[in-house]
Amino acid sequence: MSAHRAYVGLGSNEGDRDQHLRRALERLAAVPGVKVARVSSFVDSELVGDGPPQGRFRNAVAELHTTLPPAALLAVCKALEAEAGRRLPAPRNHPRPLDLDLLFHGDCRLDTRELVLPHARWHEREFVMGPLRELGLDLAALPRQQRPIVLTSPEDLAATCTGWLEGGCLIGLVPTMGSLHRGHQSLVQRARGECDRVVVTIFVNPLQFGPGEDFAAYPRDLETDLARCRDAGADVVFAPATAAMYDPAFCSHVSVGAAAEGMEGALRPGHFSGVATVVARLFVMVRPHRAYFGEKDAQQLAVVRRLARDLGFPLRVVPCPIVREADGLAMSSRNVYLGAADRRASTVLVQALRAAREAFRAGQRDRDRLLQVAAAVLAGEPRAALDYLELRSEGDLEPLPPGPVVGGRLLVAARFRDGARPVRLLDNLSLAADDA
Ligand code: PAF
């Protein structure tokens, strides 16, 4: 078999760092089919990303001439890491005696659970780029993985995901309508921590907007969204045009039953059918193992859970906690439209929910009394026009009968109207929640 030129990044920040690197190079050179052709100087670097406090890394890059295929060379690297005392599977970003990253292997392009070639982030790391430059490589000419990969056609998305599934990857899906804020980013980060590949979809779905609603005016800013997806660790951003999702003859819709009754379902007829239809379509394209939804849209979450169960999608719906501004307002893409006075007034929603939760903690168990506590707080803010305030069961959000409750979720929606355009805000809180 002909020899390929491969590059391996070496790193160590535990024990005798130089000794770990030297030993790894000796051991690599002793592997049949591997010749260590050149090695850069050893350089120091700090940990990239979050991790426990730890010492600086010692890094280098080695150029190998090898007849081993990528998977075999990777296996050698893993064996040397283990031999150096690295505990595998290693917790993310913890100190390690030896880290060997396969950066390039000839012209090979791979995207499997075990190995991505070229390495996905070599061009973001000075401790790799510096040594590569020293070895005389023209960094601009070296191949890169684009992250996130931006796709617009359902066929390309499905093909990319098929490749990942065949490579054994666990896929996480974060469906969004864009205009991403820290709440969305927390979903992407959670998916990043739990999955091998993360797909974020950005699609303002016309099916879930009613005639008088803000479809045309819904905030759209793809460039900023892409930067936020990259920062949060998305592998793919799928941002299709409407025609790519729904061809002109499109006429099949998912109809949602009891989960869509009341609250948003009553105020926005057809909304949850639109949500369920697009989500089902995304599930079919991506075939994710996990799909991440914010608890902020609690009824949507209940609808999607029901959808996954009823239609048998083989995935886990992962609920993610509401992310709030410092003053408690739940983050929402529509918050930008609040006028200054409404923005100040908008915290009344969370204050009302928290007041009812306090009453519950203090021993109040009567459903209507708890609702009255929240309603009294809301009534003190004339800027908030209440759409609904309900106490429902956790999870499925089923209506609770009058009388004593053992727990449940309070849900509220209200309209504000002094900003650039009227804004509806939703919020909810579990009576059992122990957050602030
Ligand atoms: O929550 C949203 O942003 C949307 O309803 C969703 C789930 C992406 C479907 O269009």
Side-chain angles (χ1 to χ4, degrees), residues 103-180:
L103 303 170
F104 306 100
H105 188 291
D107 299 333
C108 181
R109 282 196 168 267
L110 258 184
D111 196 351
T112 66
R113 182 172 203 182
E114 288 75 29
L115 187 56
V116 178
L117 281 173
H119 188 280
R121 285 174 298 278
W122 71 262
H123 48 88
E124 293 169 10
R125 295 178 175 174
E126 188 48 41
F127 63 82
V128 173
M129 293 193 290
L132 286 172
R133 263 188 231 106
E134 186 196 324
L135 293 177
L137 276 82
D138 174 5
L139 301 198
L142 289 175
R144 295 170 185 223
Q145 294 281 348
Q146 188 200 348
R147 284 292 193 266
I149 305 166
V150 181
L151 300 175
T152 54
S153 101
E155 294 72 25
D156 289 348
L157 176 64
T160 301
C161 294
T162 299
W164 287 340
L165 292 168
E166 286 172 359
C169 295
L170 198 124
I171 300 182
L173 170 67
V174 183
T176 81
M177 296 205 300
S179 194
L180 304 181

Side-chain angles (χ1 to χ4, degrees), residues 175-177 184 201 203 205 208 218 271 275 278-279 293 297 300:
T176 81
M177 296 205 300
H184 296 109
T201 66
F203 177 60
N205 171 36
Q208 67 189 76
Y218 195 84
H271 170 67
V275 170
V278 78
V279 168
F293 290 85
D297 294 304
Q300 168 172 280

